[in-house]
Amino acid sequence: MPIDEVEQLRGSLNHQVFLNVLGGEHTTVPLDDPTHILDVGTGTGDWAIKLAELYPDCEVVGTDIAAIAETQSVPMNVFFEIEDAEDWDRLPDHYDLIHFRSMEGAFRDWKLIYDNVFYSLKPGGYIELQDFDTTVGLDQFTGGFSEGSPIHNLFNDLAKAAARSGRPRGNAHMNANLFMEAGFVDVKVTEYMIPFSTAEQSAGKIWLISCLDALEALCLRLLTEQMGWDPEKCKIACENAAREMANLARDPRKSNGMGVKIVVISGRKPRDSPLSPPQLRQIKPLDIEAESSC
């Protein structure tokens, strides 16, 4: 994903959508005087900064593969670090909460990520993922267009490109069974539906703006690298798709019943878990080569 000003604004818009859906709360897990919180894929850092404000005695660390988070005029207890979470390098038994948001398509091996999260949580600590179920929203959108609409080719090739890259899109990783296999208990999955709306300040409208602005960000690299699309033709296709989607959303008859789903899944490391050994699993270069040859 790009990290330009448009993408940073989109990240801030999505932050507002989550706040709206969660009733102003930033997390769904109970936190009792936390001392360490980790925000993986922090982006602009909005979530991490707010958690640092809510818990001034807690060290909040936000990590990302790019340095775009705000570092001026932020709480003294929030820190931002450049890190690829697939090269996990976090202390064992250390965090009260490890949080992920809008990380669809981020990792090759989510099971490995969950194992590493379990390793780094304190006994009794929580993991939480918050994400849009874009498969539902996009399927509804594309279903509103004729079979000959170019929008179908765009989204079909996007799904293929993501799979070829080794990081498929979708929410298959937000599965309670995967959490339980990693050792988490008290696993909870909650779904929220945001109806499409053009009403001012509605979560549906904010998400729609974010979604339309995201098309080029989602498609350009994947379609050009994995599917051989021409960059300029890809940009034009994204603009046309955004225009068609906006027109559909404005039509009260066609958009009736449409919405986007937000999924929140959390789990807790058992309080009686033994302390973790001083090593952890990582994706090794040989693993990457093996995946690339498949």
Side-chain angles (χ1 to χ4, degrees):
M1 297 291 286
I3 57 172
D4 57 15
E5 290 186 8
V6 173
E7 184 62 19
Q8 292 179 45
L9 175 59
R10 197 177 73 82
S12 295
L13 287 176
N14 283 342
H15 179 68
Q16 296 303 315
V17 173
F18 282 102
L19 279 181
N20 188 298
V21 170
L22 298 179
E25 298 294 333
H26 287 73
T27 179
T28 64
V29 305
L31 292 174
D32 184 17
D33 296 325
T35 59
H36 296 87
I37 292 175
L38 177 65
D39 183 29
V40 180
T42 194
T44 54
D46 293 309
W47 188 90
I49 291 170
K50 186 59 181 180
L51 264 290
E53 292 174 349
L54 292 173
Y55 300 101
D57 295 326
C58 176
E59 178 184 274
V60 180
V61 175
T63 65
D64 210 304
I65 59 173
I68 63 172
E70 178 61 57
T71 56
Q72 302 296 322
S73 303
V74 299
M76 296 291 291
N77 58 317
V78 65
F79 305 90
F80 295 108
E81 301 175 8
I82 299 176
E83 181 177 82
D84 184 343
E86 288 186 324
D87 298 323
W88 195 265
D89 190 24
R90 295 285 138 187
L91 293 172
D93 310 300
H94 187 68
Y95 296 99
D96 298 275
L97 168 63
I98 298 180
H99 176 262
F100 301 76
R101 190 173 70 183
S102 298
M103 296 293 282
E104 175 191 8
F107 302 122
R108 297 186 297 271
D109 188 347
W110 277 95
K111 290 184 179 180
L112 179 61
I113 295 295
Y114 296 152
D115 287 344
N116 286 337
V117 169
F118 190 91
Y119 165 88
S120 291
L121 283 174
K122 296 176 181 177
Y126 286 89
I127 177 176
E128 181 184 48
L129 276 71
Q130 303 176 2
D131 217 329
F132 297 104
D133 187 346
T134 56
T135 55
V136 173
L138 293 181
D139 284 348
Q140 287 183 328
F141 259 133
T142 55
F145 299 103
S146 65
E147 293 185 4
S149 172
I151 202 169
H152 293 290
N153 290 334
L154 183 72
F155 290 132
N156 287 339
D157 276 9
L158 177 62
K160 293 177 184 177
R164 287 185 181 182
S165 74
R167 295 179 170 86
R169 300 193 64 78
N171 292 85
H173 62 286
M174 300 186 75
N175 186 317
N177 289 331
L178 296 179
F179 272 44
M180 290 185 284
E181 288 172 7
F184 295 106
V185 298
D186 295 341
V187 178
K188 182 180 179 182
V189 182
T190 308
E191 297 182 349
Y192 307 84
M193 183 59 73
I194 308 173
F196 291 141
S197 171
T198 56
E200 291 295 329
Q201 305 303 319
S202 71
K205 182 174 183 178
I206 297 173
W207 177 83
L208 185 61
I209 294 171
S210 171
C211 178
L212 298 182
D213 283 344
L215 284 180
E216 184 177 309
L218 288 171
C219 294
L220 187 57
R221 180 174 180 177
L222 281 171
L223 293 183
T224 55
E225 288 187 354
Q226 303 296 332
M227 303 299 290
W229 280 51
D230 175 79
E232 292 306 316
K233 289 183 178 180
C234 183
K235 291 179 181 179
I236 293 172
C238 290
E239 291 174 4
N240 291 337
R243 188 177 301 110
E244 288 188 73
M245 293 169 68
N247 290 336
L248 178 65
R250 293 190 190 101
D251 189 317
R253 181 181 60 83
K254 291 182 178 180
S255 64
N256 183 40
M258 288 187 175
V260 63
K261 184 191 295 183
I262 282 182
V263 180
V264 179
I265 180 169
S266 62
R268 179 174 57 81
K269 184 174 181 177
R271 293 186 177 87
D272 57 357
S273 295
L275 295 180
S276 301
Q279 72 270 346
L280 68 165
R281 296 170 56 212
Q282 292 184 351
I283 295 180
K284 305 299 183 183
L286 287 177
D287 297 330
I288 298 173
E289 292 173 5
E291 289 179 5
S292 299
S293 64
C294 293

